[in-house]
Amino acid sequence: MKKILFTVLFLGGLVSLRAEEVPDSLSVQKKVTIEEVVVTGTRNETDVRHLPMTVSVVNREQIEHRNDPSLLPLLTEYIPGLFTTSRGLMGYGVSGGAAGGMSLRGIGGVPQEGLPTTGMLVLIDGHPQYMGLMGHPISDAYQSLLAERVEVLRGPASVLYGSNAMGGVINIVTRKMQQDGIRTHANVRYGSYNTLQSEVTNRIRKGRFTSIVSGSYNRTDGHRKDMEFEQYGGYAKFGYEISDAWNVWADVNLTHFDASNPGEISNPLLDNDQRITRGMTSFALANHYAKTSGTLSFFYNWGKHWINDGYHLGGDPLDYRFHSRDQMLGVSWYQSVQLFEGNRLTVGFDYFHFGGVIEAIAQEIVLAEFIALRAPVAHGQHSQHRHWIEFAHVAASRRKGN
């Protein structure tokens, strides 16, 4: 009993002595180092602690550790509140029976057939990435081979990014080569259901010049009959540092995938096939000084969709195929300056132009409706384009109802 009492008193003496040696915590200035800054939500590089919204970051190390050709499964694991739908071993597809719907904190895409994601905005280096006619993201186009990191703004951001960002924003920051030299990486995986994943990447930094070239091929037979998926992808980026404060870069990303949808087990589909091609290219000139930084950039996205909606057992094959071409281009400029400590002023502008055309077997009807809508328009290219987008939605809805 005495021994236990002595121990307690001794420990109490240590605690008391320690408290006397430590100065008042209010008088100690703690230094916290944040190695990674984000650009989503402010345009310029900003310490995540100074943002008025919540931003989560997934870095390259986490992407390589997951070793998945698509970014969405990784984001579902690491980003709180982010939910994405999936339908098989690989691939999401488009149109009826597609997966890849995204929602954040319950806002975004509705996880129901035929209702695409229109409340979650996906960016690549700050440039919007979605189908120019329907306005929804193409989940299979967001591959891990082009991402250095992914920044996810969790919460409404429509003031900055428009109505597509009601649920949040996913910004894919493309890869960079930081170290001098040449590095080549190859990865091949093979598994069940004849599933193959492969990727080859070459990165070069020599003096002021940098380049990144990547290619991938992925395929699977799927865990059900008529659920094949095959995808080719490539990405290239070239940059040059004009000076210590100025640099320029250009990149191009291209992917093509073929997907099949077998429908429900109790009500299978036949010949529900898709052939989708998506492309993106951009050019940027950036400056970065101690008190000011900014970027002038141009981007152009395009896509070609060929879709056979298929038919059920006992039905007749469709006598038409959905075929569309869409595009989006834009110019963006901003310049940010720090007038005094704790303050930053940013000015700039964005211009976007998007749309496309839809083709089908009943092309005469489509053209007649297009002329009827377009004829009375005389308000410039933007108004014509808006009417064409409205018509595209009508045509797509009508097609699915046939």
Side-chain angles (χ1 to χ4, degrees), residues 362-376 387-388 390-396 398-399:
Q363 191 172 7
E364 296 81 5
I365 299 176
V366 171
L367 289 176
E369 291 182 355
F370 174 68
I371 294 172
L373 285 172
R374 185 176 182 181
H387 281 287
W388 172 237
E390 292 174 358
F391 162 70
H393 282 285
V394 173
R398 179 177 175 181
R399 176 188 58 80

Side-chain angles (χ1 to χ4, degrees), residues 64-100:
E64 292 180 348
H65 181 74
R66 184 63 166 79
N67 205 15
D68 196 296
S70 174
L71 287 170
L72 294 191
L74 172 71
L75 298 181
T76 304
E77 291 183 7
Y78 282 94
I79 305 302
L82 178 64
F83 175 77
T84 62
T85 59
S86 60
R87 65 175 187 175
L89 300 174
M90 183 185 296
Y92 300 98
V94 298
S95 189

